[in-house]
Amino acid sequence: NITGLSFAVTAGQVYRFRAVIPYTAAATTTGARFTINGPAMTHISYTSRYPLTASTETFGYYTALQQPAAANATSLTTGNVAVVEGFFKPSADGTAAIQFASEVGASAITALAGATLAYVRTV
């Protein structure tokens, strides 16, 4: 979980969220993945996007928690920005949290200060 990028959710309510995360990679050969986790969901749909190179990105549409299942293969060492955004309706109370992981166990992906998470309960 990314410190500070989580919030409490209530079963049966619908939430819209947008997380913007600046990050660095230890090497250009260290990929990343960015996602959301939380309690069981009645519905979830979101996108996750983050750089592969200076002119390409990983972009996906997801309908399950913690997707994509695998990290991409490359990153910029600096200047990376990930965006995870969408809607969900939890079927249980709990905590929604933005998460990230490195593709390489011994090579860091570091979320930087300044990351933001905005969310609203919708009607």
Side-chain angles (χ1 to χ4, degrees), residues 7-10 13-19 86-90 96 117-123:
F7 60 100
V9 299
T10 303
Q13 301 296 307
V14 177
Y15 297 87
R16 178 175 50 89
F17 70 95
R18 185 171 201 264
F87 291 86
F88 63 84
K89 182 179 183 180
L117 173 61
Y119 63 92
V120 295
R121 184 178 56 84
T122 64
V123 289

Side-chain angles (χ1 to χ4, degrees), residues 52-81:
L52 288 164
T53 68
S55 60
T56 60
E57 68 181 352
T58 293
F59 183 86
Y61 294 94
Y62 305 105
T63 57
L65 294 168
Q66 295 187 305
Q67 296 297 310
N72 61 18
T74 62
S75 296
L76 301 170
T77 54
T78 62
N80 295 292
V81 176

